[in-house]
Amino acid sequence: MQYTWNDIEQHVAACTHCPLSRTRCRPVMGRGSHEADLMLIAEAPGGQEDRQGLPFVGNSGEILDSLLQDCGLSREEIYITNIIKCHPPGNRDPKEEEKEACFPYLKYETFLLKPQIIVCLGRVATQRIISPDFKITRQHGTWIRRKNCVLTATYHPSAILRDPSKYEIAKADFCKIVKKRSELKFV
Ligand code: URA
């Protein structure tokens, strides 16, 4: 059976597949254009996102918006989601079993969207999606080709909040992403 965006959203809203469903305020489904060629995958909703049920509405969302704006991108033309849809208490790293329980939702989102470019934000998303050995500090901004899309990774906006010197590095990565996007449009 082929799920629709609406089906996925409803499943996420009612999900009880892991214990985070008992501590979450609201699950956070991905947001953005369902026609986007560019998909950003981050880690998990933070506290603000948990309260509002939307991705990247807190401090790290401001950093993300600024990076997007600096490279001429807007949230409306891309799709942003997380590896897990519920907030881990205290912003701890998601546990393996939580990532596995939530993975089908990300798979459906990716299947429906069929992005040409996937950008992983931060270690947790990158090591789950690209490779467990991937090191952001050494390999950010490099490209990996998979069947129907190319993938890259850069710093998570919350890492930039902790160390603002990473902003320019992430901005350069986003500018490479914009360049890659226009190259892919002409092949
Ligand atoms: N951090 C994330 O990884 N995702 C969000 O949606 C917000 C903060």
Side-chain angles (χ1 to χ4, degrees):
M1 190 189 106
Q2 161 94 57
Y3 286 117
T4 64
W5 285 104
N6 206 22
D7 295 329
I8 305 172
E9 177 123 30
Q10 285 185 18
H11 279 287
V12 167
C15 184
T16 53
H17 291 169
C18 87
L20 293 180
S21 60
R22 296 199 288 273
T23 51
R24 74 172 177 229
C25 200
R26 302 171 73 170
V28 178
M29 173 73 187
R31 280 283 178 278
S33 166
H34 291 169
E35 268 79 55
D37 55 351
L38 174 56
M39 180 185 208
L40 307 191
I41 306 178
E43 178 176 332
Q48 292 256 55
E49 288 78 16
D50 182 50
R51 285 187 286 280
Q52 295 190 42
L54 295 168
F56 282 104
V57 287
N59 294 339
S60 50
E62 281 180 30
I63 300 281
L64 180 62
D65 283 336
S66 169
L67 283 169
L68 295 176
Q69 199 184 357
D70 282 354
C71 301
L73 289 167
S74 73
R75 283 205 198 204
E76 291 70 39
E77 62 183 302
I78 64 173
Y79 186 83
I80 305 174
T81 193
N82 284 298
I83 291 278
I84 64 165
K85 311 303 189 221
C86 294
H87 173 56
N91 278 333
R92 62 159 170 75
D93 278 2
K95 294 180 182 167
E96 277 315 308
E97 57 269 30
E98 294 162 353
K99 287 188 269 185
E100 287 322 301
C102 223
F103 203 64
Y105 298 129
L106 183 63
K107 268 175 101 167
Y108 284 124
E109 288 174 290
T110 313
F111 176 77
L112 284 180
L113 193 65
K114 300 191 174 29
Q116 284 202 297
I117 302 179
I118 293 180
V119 179
C120 298
L121 299 177
R123 173 183 51 85
V124 170
T126 304
Q127 294 190 343
R128 181 66 185 78
I129 303 293
I130 297 183
S131 155
D133 306 322
F134 197 100
K135 297 277 179 293
I136 304 257
T137 25
R138 280 194 278 116
Q139 293 170 280
H140 69 88
T142 57
W143 293 99
I144 288 97
R145 174 151 277 290
R146 291 238 176 103
K147 252 188 288 168
N148 298 316
C149 73
V150 290
L151 295 92
T152 190
T154 192
Y155 289 107
H156 191 288
S158 63
I160 300 172
L161 275 174
R162 288 191 298 273
D163 174 5
S165 72
K166 293 191 165 84
Y167 186 91
E168 288 302 318
I169 303 171
K171 182 173 146 185
D173 289 339
F174 267 94
C175 291
K176 280 165 82 176
I177 292 158
V178 170
K179 187 161 171 270
K180 176 69 99 184
R181 198 174 174 224
S182 58
E183 285 166 12
L184 289 174
K185 279 207 177 102
F186 296 107
V187 288

Coordinates of all heavy atoms in Angstrom, one line a residue, residues 42-46 49 55-56 60 82 156, ligand 1:
A42 N 17.9 16.3 10.5 CA 18.7 16.6 11.7 C 18.4 15.5 12.7 O 18.0 14.3 12.3 CB 18.2 18.0 12.2
E43 N 18.6 15.8 14.0 CA 18.6 14.7 15.0 C 17.2 14.4 15.6 O 16.7 13.4 15.4 CB 19.6 15.1 16.0 CG 19.8 14.2 17.2 CD 20.9 14.7 18.1 OE1 21.8 15.4 17.7 OE2 20.8 14.4 19.3
A44 N 16.8 15.4 16.4 CA 15.5 15.2 17.1 C 15.0 16.5 17.6 O 15.8 17.5 17.7 CB 15.8 14.3 18.4
P45 N 13.7 16.6 17.8 CA 13.2 17.9 18.2 C 13.8 18.3 19.6 O 14.0 17.5 20.5 CB 11.7 17.6 18.4 CG 11.4 16.3 17.7 CD 12.7 15.6 17.7
G46 N 14.0 19.6 19.8 CA 14.4 20.1 21.1 C 13.1 20.5 21.9 O 12.0 20.2 21.5
E49 N 10.6 22.8 20.1 CA 10.0 22.1 19.0 C 8.9 21.1 19.6 O 7.8 21.0 19.0 CB 11.0 21.3 18.2 CG 11.9 22.1 17.3 CD 13.1 22.8 18.1 OE1 13.3 22.5 19.2 OE2 13.6 23.8 17.5
P55 N 9.5 21.6 13.5 CA 11.0 21.5 13.5 C 11.7 22.8 13.5 O 11.2 23.8 12.9 CB 11.3 20.7 12.3 CG 10.2 20.9 11.3 CD 9.0 21.2 12.2
F56 N 12.8 22.9 14.2 CA 13.6 24.1 14.2 C 12.9 25.4 14.4 O 13.0 26.3 13.6 CB 14.5 24.1 12.9 CG 15.6 23.1 13.0 CD1 15.5 21.9 12.3 CD2 16.7 23.4 13.7 CE1 16.6 21.0 12.3 CE2 17.8 22.5 13.8 CZ 17.7 21.3 13.0
S60 N 18.3 27.0 17.6 CA 19.0 26.4 16.5 C 18.3 26.7 15.2 O 18.9 26.8 14.1 CB 19.3 25.0 16.7 OG 18.2 24.3 17.1
N82 N 13.6 15.2 11.0 CA 14.6 14.7 12.0 C 14.6 13.2 11.9 O 13.6 12.5 11.5 CB 14.1 15.1 13.4 CG 14.4 16.6 13.7 OD1 15.5 17.0 13.7 ND2 13.3 17.4 13.9
H156 N 25.6 20.6 12.8 CA 24.2 20.9 13.3 C 24.2 22.3 13.9 O 25.1 22.8 14.5 CB 23.9 19.9 14.5 CG 22.5 19.9 14.9 ND1 21.9 21.0 15.6 CD2 21.5 19.1 14.7 CE1 20.6 20.7 15.8 NE2 20.4 19.6 15.2
Ligands
URA1 N1 17.4 20.2 16.7 C1 17.1 19.2 15.8 O1 17.9 18.3 15.6 N2 15.9 19.2 15.3 C2 15.0 20.2 15.5 O2 13.9 20.1 14.9 C3 15.4 21.2 16.4 C4 16.6 21.2 17.0

